[in-house]
């Protein structure tokens, strides 16, 4: 959009303002492109269970030095500067959505302070997340109003921080468009949650109120109808496609990250409407779970992301929701697929740490929502015969294959301890000749934890030698 303003605006001052904003924008995009190389993904173990909301608002006083002068901190009364107070409220609304609904403790999930700078530059036409804080321009009053006017824009930019910490989607082409789409999705959910709107009640516009009087448009983007947000001589026409048949191949905009994001945006909108009620519930949780899914590559394409959303919908809710996800993606030309879970019911997990022929065992029940329970609990994923297990407590991770009523593979604590495992459906043939109690003093349990005392052994499943 800034490129269009720089080319189309009739007056030199507006064109110059767009060029100044573009110069900063290019630096921010360069940071996003390298972010996945320098920042590790957040792991569930690092999550803090105590919410930490600390907001700090600064004023750059129309300069470009960050963070600027502190003008409002957490718990202080309204400053009287509408820009400061809107930013303060917007940071809080974003924190509230992620904590209340997804139990995410700020941007990094461990209570990161939320910082924002307002009055950045002179008539600066943008807002951005620079990797550590939010920055807001005042707009030029000709094309854009102040950038704190839209809470979804604040949610959008802060979600770039979440994506950077969580998935590191590289900022170009399809993974970059997914990066932008994640910010639009959760930016819209921030607004919907703050207004307590259902999916049907929401306007699904990003940046409503940002366009100045006299501009022919309603917002920066429309998730409901990509390509219809604006059509103005100064801005051009909204270029977003709503289907893969209209995908824009371009070297501009980092390969069209703000353009082609319309496709996954429309898919999310369609899913939210299909599932009904509040979009932040089922639809939002499916998207958030996928953003946090370790299988999501930093170079994921639309189809990769779509397949994971279908798999996670099945894990979280079941076959009907998974089909709704598949249908939503199909309507935008992305043909997602997933394999229904093949593992369920009661199994015996046999495990051996280190180079030994002795196996201990534990009984596990695999549930249709992607969890397992028993003496130990955790989560499981399975696709095309491959199964991954992780425990709620303990460092062990399991990977292997399941075929019919048996499975096998390797496990590791990623700290020098590894071993082998196999699964057998209760009541079927096993392969272990020697089965030891799983809780023998001094041993390592299935989750990778060392026993320091005696715990009663579990009953052995009836089985024969293969």
């Amino acid at each position: 959009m800034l490129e269009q303003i720089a080319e189309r605006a009739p007056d030199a001052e507006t064109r110059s303002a767009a060029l100044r904003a573009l110069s900063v924008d290019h630096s921010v995009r360069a940071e996003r492109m390298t972010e996945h190389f320098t920042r590790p993904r957040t792991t569930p173990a690092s999550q803090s269970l105590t919410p930490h909301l600390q907001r700090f608002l600064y004023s750059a006083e129309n300069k470009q030095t960050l963070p600027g002068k502190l003008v409002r901190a957490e718990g202080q009364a309204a400053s009287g500067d509408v820009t400061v107070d809107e930013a303060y409220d917007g940071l809080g609304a974003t924190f509230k959505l992620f904590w209340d609904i997804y139990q995410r403790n700020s941007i990094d999930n461990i209570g990161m302070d939320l910082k924002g700078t307002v009055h950045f530059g002179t008539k600066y036409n943008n807002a951005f997340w620079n990797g550590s804080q939010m920055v807001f321009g005042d707009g030029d009053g000709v094309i854009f109003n102040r950038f704190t006017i839209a809470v979804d824009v604040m949610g959008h930019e802060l979600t770039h921080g979440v994506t950077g910490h969580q998935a590191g989607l590289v900022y170009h082409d399809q993974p970059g468009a997914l990066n932008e789409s994640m910010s639009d999705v959760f930016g819209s959910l921030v607004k919907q949650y703050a207004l307590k709107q259902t999916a049907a009640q929401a306007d699904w516009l990003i940046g409503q109120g940002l366009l100045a009087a006299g501009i022919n448009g309603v917002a920066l983007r429309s998730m409901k109808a990509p390509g219809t947000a604006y059509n103005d001589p100064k801005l051009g026409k909204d270029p977003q496609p709503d289907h893969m048949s209209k995908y824009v191949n371009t070297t501009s905009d980092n390969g069209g990250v703000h353009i082609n994001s319309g496709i996954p945006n429309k898919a999310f909108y369609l899913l939210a409407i299909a599932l009904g009620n509040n979009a932040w519930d089922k639809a939002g949780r499916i998207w958030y779970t996928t953003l946090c899914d370790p299988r999501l590559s930093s170079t994921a394409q639309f189809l990769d992301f779509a397949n994971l959303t279908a798999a996670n919908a099945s894990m979280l809710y079941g076959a009907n929701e998974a089909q709704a996800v598949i249908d939503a993606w199909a309507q935008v030309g992305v043909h997602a697929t997933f394999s229904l879970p093949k593992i369920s019911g009661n199994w015996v997990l046999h495990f051996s740490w280190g180079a030994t022929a002795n196996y201990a065992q534990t009984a596990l029940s695999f549930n249709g929502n992607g969890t397992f329970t028993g003496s130990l609990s955790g989560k499981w994923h399975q696709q095309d015969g491959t199964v991954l297990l992780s425990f709620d407590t303990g460092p062990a991770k399991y990977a292997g294959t399941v075929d019919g009523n048996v499975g096998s593979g390797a496990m590791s604590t990623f700290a020098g301890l590894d071993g082998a495992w196999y699964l057998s459906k209760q009541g079927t043939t096993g392969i272990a000749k020697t089965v030891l109690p799983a809780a023998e003093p001094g041993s390592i349990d299935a989750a990778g934890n060392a026993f320091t005392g005696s715990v009663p052994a579990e009953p052995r499943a009836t089985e024969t030698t293969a």
Side-chain angles (χ1 to χ4, degrees):
M1 185 180 282
L2 289 172
E3 292 173 351
Q4 290 297 314
I5 296 171
E7 292 179 6
R8 293 170 174 268
D11 61 290
E13 183 179 358
T14 303
R15 293 196 301 272
S16 177
L19 289 171
R20 290 196 302 271
L22 277 170
S23 68
V24 176
D25 185 59
H26 289 157
S27 298
V28 173
R29 293 192 192 193
E31 290 180 8
R32 287 180 186 163
M33 289 185 72
T34 58
E35 194 170 37
H36 70 287
F37 292 117
T38 58
R39 176 176 289 146
R41 293 174 69 143
T42 301
T43 60
S46 67
Q47 181 182 11
S48 171
L49 297 180
T50 303
H52 179 84
L53 174 58
Q54 287 292 323
R55 290 165 284 185
F56 298 92
L57 272 297
Y58 303 83
S59 173
E61 299 178 320
N62 300 122
K63 301 174 185 177
Q64 293 193 4
T65 302
L66 298 175
K69 177 183 177 182
L70 182 65
V71 290
R72 187 177 178 186
E74 185 64 37
Q76 292 182 345
S79 70
D81 182 330
V82 64
T83 310
V84 171
D85 297 330
E86 284 175 342
Y88 182 90
D89 292 342
L91 297 184
T94 303
F95 183 95
K96 186 172 177 60
L97 170 82
F98 278 105
W99 175 257
D100 288 357
I101 305 303
Y102 310 116
Q103 293 74 57
R104 185 177 188 88
N105 195 358
S106 193
I107 301 300
D108 59 358
N109 207 20
I110 53 174
M112 180 179 184
D113 291 343
L114 298 180
K115 299 178 181 179
T117 295
V118 300
H119 303 310
F120 179 80
T122 302
K123 297 182 178 180
Y124 180 69
N125 277 335
N126 213 344
F128 61 88
W129 167 262
N130 74 350
S132 61
Q133 70 159 93
M134 278 295 307
V135 180
F136 304 95
D138 291 326
D140 59 6
V142 176
I143 295 179
F144 293 112
N145 296 315
R146 63 186 183 275
F147 277 78
T148 56
I149 203 170
V151 68
D152 49 2
V153 169
M154 286 182 261
H156 172 106
E157 295 300 338
L158 288 167
T159 301
H160 277 306
V162 174
T163 299
H165 277 275
Q166 197 64 60
L169 289 166
V170 298
Y171 202 67
H172 61 75
D173 300 302
Q174 286 194 24
L178 285 171
N179 193 317
E180 280 296 327
S181 179
M182 295 301 292
S183 283
D184 278 353
V185 164
F186 289 100
S188 183
L189 294 184
V190 166
K191 180 169 73 171
Q192 293 177 39
Y193 187 60
L195 297 176
K196 296 299 181 280
Q197 293 176 330
T198 66
Q201 293 168 336
D203 60 23
W204 295 97
L205 297 173
I206 303 298
Q208 184 187 34
L210 261 184
L211 298 180
I215 297 296
N216 184 32
V218 293
L220 301 179
R221 289 177 293 280
S222 170
M223 298 180 68
K224 178 179 180 178
T228 67
Y230 58 86
N231 188 357
D232 186 89
K234 296 176 183 177
L235 300 178
K237 186 182 183 303
D238 181 356
Q240 281 206 315
D242 61 0
H243 192 274
M244 284 300 293
S245 63
K246 305 173 188 175
Y247 186 89
V248 178
N249 290 296
T250 177
T251 58
S252 180
D253 185 37
N254 285 67
V257 296
H258 291 91
I259 298 172
N260 293 310
S261 57
I263 296 170
N265 277 1
K266 180 69 177 283
F268 182 83
Y269 161 77
L270 292 169
L271 175 65
I273 293 299
L275 295 180
N277 296 318
N278 300 316
W280 60 79
D281 284 334
K282 285 187 175 182
R285 187 167 297 280
I286 291 166
W287 250 239
Y288 180 72
T289 300
T290 303
L291 177 64
C292 298
D293 194 321
R295 296 172 293 176
L296 180 63
S297 164
S298 63
T299 57
Q301 305 297 294
F302 289 176
L303 182 58
D304 300 322
F305 186 82
N307 286 340
L308 283 178
T309 58
N312 284 318
S314 175
M315 178 192 72
L316 289 168
Y317 302 113
N320 290 338
E321 286 79 1
Q323 189 59 52
V325 170
I326 290 173
D327 292 343
W329 282 108
Q331 290 180 70
V332 300
V334 179
H335 301 290
T337 59
F338 82 105
S339 299
L340 287 171
K342 302 180 183 68
I343 186 171
S344 63
N346 299 321
W347 294 64
V348 179
L349 172 66
H350 311 259
F351 59 95
S352 175
W353 291 105
T356 174
N358 293 326
Y359 281 79
Q361 70 180 28
T362 187
L364 299 178
S365 294
F366 288 86
N367 308 311
N369 64 354
T371 65
F372 60 81
T373 52
S375 59
L376 295 165
S377 63
K379 297 178 177 61
W380 64 274
H381 294 285
Q382 184 183 5
Q383 187 168 2
D384 299 329
T386 300
V387 65
L388 302 173
L389 306 181
S390 61
F391 293 84
D392 292 335
T393 58
K397 303 292 182 183
Y398 287 59
T401 59
V402 172
D403 183 8
N405 292 329
V406 296
S408 62
M411 74 269 200
S412 173
T413 63
F414 303 106
L417 184 65
D418 55 25
W421 62 273
Y422 78 94
L423 275 168
S424 62
K425 189 85 169 180
Q426 282 194 9
T428 62
T429 301
I431 60 174
K433 294 183 178 180
T434 304
V435 179
L436 296 181
E440 187 168 286
S443 67
I444 305 296
D445 71 6
N449 298 308
F451 281 110
T452 57
S454 179
V455 180
E458 297 179 358
R460 299 182 184 180
T462 302
E463 58 183 1
T464 59
T465 302

